[in-house]
């Protein structure tokens, strides 16, 4: 019997048996979850059961850590910059930085996806060409800075100055010339 049913509950792994088919093991797991009234997703939802997405969303939003962007996570350890960007690539976890806003972290994720050519959905697909220009120049930080210029942030309110400061521009006026940011130019 190649299929095993098991459930982690109250700090212990509960072995529920071996079964000849995947469906039989899934039914046993579902019965265990329902009998114990666990707040977990089930394989075969009935009326009143949560789907996998609902279970994940409710547990994350209850803790106040849900983000609407891919690759963005909330951390309470740094109240000044509570948003972290990260991405898995080639079996490795890449920490992309900590940010003041969720949008800044999402842009960092997008720049990394483009830089690594990962073929994943972007959080801001309408800024793909701006991010690609910065990555092509060999400077992903430039890509993020370009994305936060006044014209690029029309759909992302509240980003420009905060992202400029995060990229080390110190609040200096910026000018965009042929895809390059030159500090101090007007």
């Amino acid at each position: 019997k190649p299929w095993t049913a098991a459930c982690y509950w109250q700090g212990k792994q509960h072995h529920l048996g071996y079964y000849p088919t995947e469906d039989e093991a899934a039914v046993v797991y579902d019965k265990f979850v329902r009998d114990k009234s666990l707040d977990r997703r089930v394989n075969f939802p009935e009326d009143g059961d949560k789907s996998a997405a609902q279970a994940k969303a409710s547990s994350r939003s209850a803790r106040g850590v849900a983000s609407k962007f891919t690759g963005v996570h909330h951390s309470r350890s740094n109240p000044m910059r509570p948003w972290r960007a990260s991405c898995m690539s080639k079996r490795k976890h890449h920490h992309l930085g900590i940010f003041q806003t969720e949008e800044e972290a999402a842009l960092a994720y997008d720049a990394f996806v483009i830089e690594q050519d990962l073929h994943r959905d972007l959080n801001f697909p309408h800024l793909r060409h701006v991010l690609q220009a910065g990555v092509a120049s060999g400077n992903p930080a430039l890509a993020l800075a370009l994305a936060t210029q006044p014209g690029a942030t029309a759909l992302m309110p509240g980003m420009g100055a905060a992202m400029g400061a995060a990229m080390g521009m110190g609040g200096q006026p910026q000018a965009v010339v042929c895809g390059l940011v030159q500090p101090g130019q007007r």
Side-chain angles (χ1 to χ4, degrees):
K1 296 182 182 181
W3 296 97
T4 302
C7 184
Y8 193 79
W9 177 58
Q10 291 184 341
K12 294 181 182 178
Q13 175 89 15
H14 293 268
H15 177 73
L16 306 176
Y18 296 102
Y19 299 92
T21 68
E22 183 179 12
D23 286 346
E24 288 178 86
V27 167
V28 171
Y29 170 86
D30 289 356
K31 181 178 181 329
F32 182 83
V33 168
R34 288 187 186 106
D35 289 347
K36 302 293 183 190
S37 300
L38 303 178
D39 188 25
R40 310 252 176 100
R41 70 174 179 88
V42 292
N43 298 292
F44 303 109
E46 296 175 352
D47 291 338
D49 286 337
K50 290 185 177 182
S51 68
Q54 289 172 326
K56 184 177 180 182
S58 67
S59 66
R60 289 173 54 96
S61 61
R63 291 179 292 165
V65 296
S67 173
K68 59 186 171 189
F69 297 111
T70 302
V72 177
H73 312 280
H74 188 269
S75 171
R76 294 183 186 164
S77 64
N78 186 347
M80 296 302 291
R81 295 189 302 174
W83 296 99
R84 297 178 180 271
S86 63
C87 185
M88 289 292 291
S89 170
K90 299 175 187 166
R91 294 183 171 182
K92 186 173 180 183
H93 183 262
H94 298 272
H95 174 69
L96 307 176
I98 54 175
F99 303 90
Q100 285 181 331
T101 68
E102 204 173 357
E103 291 82 6
E104 291 169 359
L107 273 173
Y109 171 86
D110 287 358
F112 182 81
V113 166
I114 290 171
E115 179 184 20
Q116 299 293 315
D117 196 27
L118 297 179
H119 304 292
R120 295 184 188 166
D121 291 337
L122 298 178
N123 293 305
F124 301 109
H126 60 284
L127 295 177
R128 177 183 292 276
H129 66 284
V130 175
L131 294 169
Q132 284 173 331
V135 169
S137 72
N139 189 350
L142 172 64
L144 296 175
L146 287 172
T148 61
Q149 292 297 316
T153 59
L155 297 176
M156 296 174 293
M159 285 193 55
M163 185 60 115
M167 291 297 129
M169 297 173 195
Q172 296 286 330
Q174 306 295 317
V176 177
V177 181
C178 298
L180 300 175
V181 176
Q182 299 173 345
Q185 299 292 319
R186 291 185 190 256

